[in-house]
Amino acid sequence: MANEASDADQVELFDTHCHLDITAFDPDRDAAIARARAVGVVHFVNPAYDLDSSRRAVALAQAHPGIAAAVGVHPNDAADFGEAHLAELRTLARAPQVVAIGEIGLDYYRQTTPRDRQVQAFVAQLALARELNLPVIIHCRDAYDDALALLREHGHGLPGLVMHAFSGRMEHLRAALAMGFYIGVGGPVTYPNAHGLRDVVKAVPPERIVIETDSPYLAPQSQRGRRNEPAYVLEVAQKIGQLRGTSMRDIARITTDNGRRLFRLN
Ligand SMILES: [Zn+2]
């Protein structure tokens, strides 16, 4: 393990998807950020799921160097999405710390928002991203066929796309890659039963893979059932390195470079 610790001293990691703004981090937000920095996390992207979290994400990014924000409305929070949402997102996105629109997409697993409302909010926010020339962070659960069809129709002209917490099948991976997507991989790749996801992770071209925690959700195996935090992106990188037969240092370098290119940092 001494070996891994010395690895960690030298790597630069990018947690491309963490919700540091939410209440789960109220007791120790700064400490959680410090723990992540201590294992090499140099960039964080904090996506939003509604207007309140969009405001919080921007404020957090303004207060912490290395943290960038995305603003957007999640499909599960899109029931009342309309012009007022678009107007505020447009205003918030003017902050230089905002690097993407997200997380947006479709979620047919939870049915809190009717599908037609999800589609309407998704398409409207894709148009907003194109108008603002911002990449998009896509959330997709049990809806890959519909999401990819909508993206084929409405996802052109965007400067970047990432499918976060990818959970689709190999055919969905091929379709997403053909559309120019980056593929976000997080804690689930460490779960013993994640055979399909591990096959996917081995098949993603190196220049298209990014890593994430989705903190406070989806903790990796060693922390499963507990609150996730950005420091654990190290465990994700280690697992991907094992699966792909690549050193942790190389995985860190590759995924951090990819994240910088996707979100146009540095
Ligand atoms: Zn998320």
Side-chain angles (χ1 to χ4, degrees):
M1 290 288 107
N3 205 10
E4 285 182 7
S6 66
D7 260 2
D9 286 340
Q10 298 160 54
V11 298
E12 288 190 334
L13 295 159
F14 191 153
D15 187 353
T16 59
H17 196 112
C18 51
H19 298 277
L20 282 164
D21 63 288
I22 74 177
T23 52
F25 286 104
D26 282 354
D28 64 341
R29 182 169 291 107
D30 287 351
I33 294 167
R35 284 192 291 273
R37 294 199 201 280
V39 300
V41 180
V42 291
H43 296 291
F44 313 68
V45 170
N46 192 120
Y49 51 89
D50 62 8
L51 286 184
D52 253 352
S53 71
S54 295
R55 294 178 201 118
R56 290 196 308 266
V58 173
L60 185 79
Q62 286 171 336
H64 296 273
I67 302 185
V71 297
V73 175
H74 187 287
N76 294 138
D77 295 281
D80 64 346
F81 188 92
E83 281 304 321
H85 291 75
L86 275 177
E88 177 155 8
L89 292 174
R90 189 179 283 113
T91 302
L92 285 168
R94 286 202 199 108
Q97 293 84 1
V98 173
V99 296
I101 297 294
E103 54 189 294
I104 62 174
L106 297 179
D107 191 322
Y108 294 171
Y109 176 75
R110 293 191 213 96
Q111 299 280 353
T112 53
T113 305
R115 290 183 182 190
D116 61 323
R117 303 294 301 162
Q118 294 191 29
V119 168
Q120 191 213 17
F122 186 24
V123 170
Q125 291 179 97
L126 288 172
L128 179 68
R130 186 163 43 250
E131 172 195 323
L132 301 174
N133 191 34
L134 286 170
V136 291
I137 298 168
I138 305 296
H139 169 102
C140 183
R141 191 149 182 210
D142 292 354
Y144 277 88
D145 291 327
D146 284 6
L148 289 166
L150 284 171
L151 283 156
R152 229 168 258 123
E153 199 179 340
H154 302 280
H156 51 90
L158 294 165
L161 314 91
V162 58
M163 191 68 82
H164 117 83
F166 185 87
S167 61
R169 296 191 300 270
M170 205 58 91
E171 72 203 70
H172 302 132
L173 174 69
R174 280 191 286 269
L177 290 171
M179 294 171 65
F181 264 96
Y182 287 79
I183 305 298
V185 178
V189 74
T190 65
Y191 300 165
N193 63 353
H195 304 293
L197 179 57
R198 282 199 281 274
D199 289 342
V200 160
V201 165
K202 288 187 235 175
V204 181
E207 69 278 10
R208 294 289 192 87
I209 191 165
V210 293
I211 58 177
E212 60 171 69
T213 57
D214 206 10
S215 302
Y217 314 108
L218 297 178
Q221 187 64 24
S222 77
Q223 307 291 332
R224 208 163 170 183
R226 304 200 197 112
R227 186 192 69 176
N228 198 5
E229 62 175 64
Y232 305 154
V233 79
L234 182 67
E235 187 172 335
V236 174
Q238 284 165 339
K239 186 66 187 188
I240 295 173
Q242 268 175 30
L243 290 172
R244 296 177 66 105
T246 309
S247 73
M248 226 288 286
R249 190 177 286 101
D250 283 346
I251 287 296
R253 181 179 48 75
I254 291 165
T255 55
T256 298
D257 284 351
N258 291 345
R260 286 180 176 137
R261 196 180 329 115
L262 166 62
F263 294 113
R264 302 177 296 182
L265 297 167
N266 301 348

